[in-house]
Amino acid sequence: MKNPFKRFTIALTGDFGHGHSHEKMREWIEANGGIFARQIDGNVTHLVCSLEDWKKVPKVVKQALKIKKLKIVTFDWFEDSLMQHSPKREGEYLLKRVIKKTQKNKARKKTQAKRVIKEGAEAFEKGCKEFKDEIHSVRIEGYHIYRDDTNFDYEVKLARADVTTNKNERYILKLYESHTEPHLYATYVKYSSASGRKVGSDIRAPVGSTFEEALAAFKNFFKSKTCRTWEQRLDKMKLFDEAFVYTPPKLGWPRGRMPQGWEGPVDHTEAACGGKAQGM
């Protein structure tokens, strides 16, 4: 359709940004079959209104609201109709609907933010309680699971399953950080079998360790059980039967900081890793 504004009488209110003056928009309206209206009356079919003017509710908007058949639309309706050489259906461009959708999205984001904060606080308290329960030392009051700048929690599960004996084993490896600064750290690992008959724990880096010491202990244990370095945790590797498996978070979830220059997972399946997993 060559004239997308044919049979339309269009009025304007508000600032639509650089290059979209009312005079320029008048030229576009008339060049595309429409009639430009300088004031609101019963002949006007559309009022293109900015979000700011809608909020201020000037006289022109008040007048438009009194005319039942007049549609108050966003600048996007005007632009999309021009670009596609066809009048767009007004539904999704009606300012009332756009405002309502925006408010709904804001409310949803606010609810999500509250839930994230609540879950974060619960996870924080849980981490503190687990640390006290697991290590049983009065000196470790005030520690939580360490979270890096990508929002990844240093609490990983390493699992191994033997289908021939139906034996399942699991390690939970954790790096803790003190609440107070300067931060102190500790690394702890817990072992359990599916039957629950065999349970064990070990402190790999004692309370009061530096970050470098605790992280090194974390990485060393990870490598001893998975036969891959912590930096290779997302890579594909052919491992020996006794290796424990680390399953990283799903794509889109925090996976921890990677080395500078890292370009993505690497396939190492052609080079098998030999040896046996070391004991705890």
Side-chain angles (χ1 to χ4, degrees), residues 70-191:
L70 193 156
K71 296 179 175 64
I72 304 177
V73 294
T74 64
F75 175 78
D76 288 344
W77 172 83
F78 180 86
E79 186 174 52
D80 290 351
S81 296
L82 274 180
M83 295 296 290
Q84 297 184 27
H85 306 290
S86 178
K88 299 293 292 182
R89 290 176 179 260
E90 295 87 351
E92 64 180 292
Y93 300 95
L94 293 173
L95 255 170
K96 277 186 178 180
R97 190 172 295 182
V98 170
I99 294 294
K100 188 175 181 180
K101 185 177 180 179
T102 301
Q103 291 173 339
K104 189 175 181 181
N105 287 339
K106 284 183 178 179
R108 187 179 72 250
K109 288 180 180 179
K110 189 175 181 180
T111 300
Q112 288 175 340
K114 285 182 178 179
R115 186 174 69 249
V116 169
I117 292 171
K118 182 181 178 182
E119 290 175 351
E122 289 175 349
F124 185 88
E125 292 299 327
K126 181 184 178 184
C128 297
K129 183 178 183 301
E130 286 179 350
F131 198 28
K132 288 184 285 185
D133 292 344
E134 290 166 352
I135 303 183
H136 302 291
S137 170
V138 295
R139 294 180 300 162
I140 52 73
E141 289 286 346
Y143 275 70
H144 56 267
I145 296 293
Y146 170 68
R147 175 177 289 182
D148 69 13
D149 57 2
T150 70
N151 284 324
F152 175 77
D153 290 327
Y154 275 65
E155 178 180 1
V156 303
K157 295 178 182 178
L158 312 177
R160 179 172 68 183
D162 187 335
V163 294
T164 59
T165 61
N166 197 28
K167 183 181 179 182
N168 299 311
E169 300 170 280
R170 183 178 69 172
Y171 284 104
I172 300 179
L173 178 60
K174 302 180 182 183
L175 176 60
Y176 285 95
E177 177 183 66
S178 64
H179 301 343
T180 57
E181 297 182 3
H183 292 304
L184 299 174
Y185 299 85
T187 303
Y188 171 85
V189 63
K190 183 177 181 180
Y191 169 84

Side-chain angles (χ1 to χ4, degrees), residues 238-279:
K238 184 177 180 181
L239 305 176
F240 54 86
D241 293 339
E242 294 190 7
F244 280 76
V245 176
Y246 167 65
T247 303
K250 294 179 180 179
L251 192 63
W253 288 82
R255 293 182 164 189
R257 178 155 295 284
M258 299 303 292
Q260 188 173 3
W262 185 78
E263 298 180 351
V266 177
D267 192 337
H268 296 286
T269 52
E270 294 301 319
C273 174
K276 293 186 176 181
Q278 301 169 23

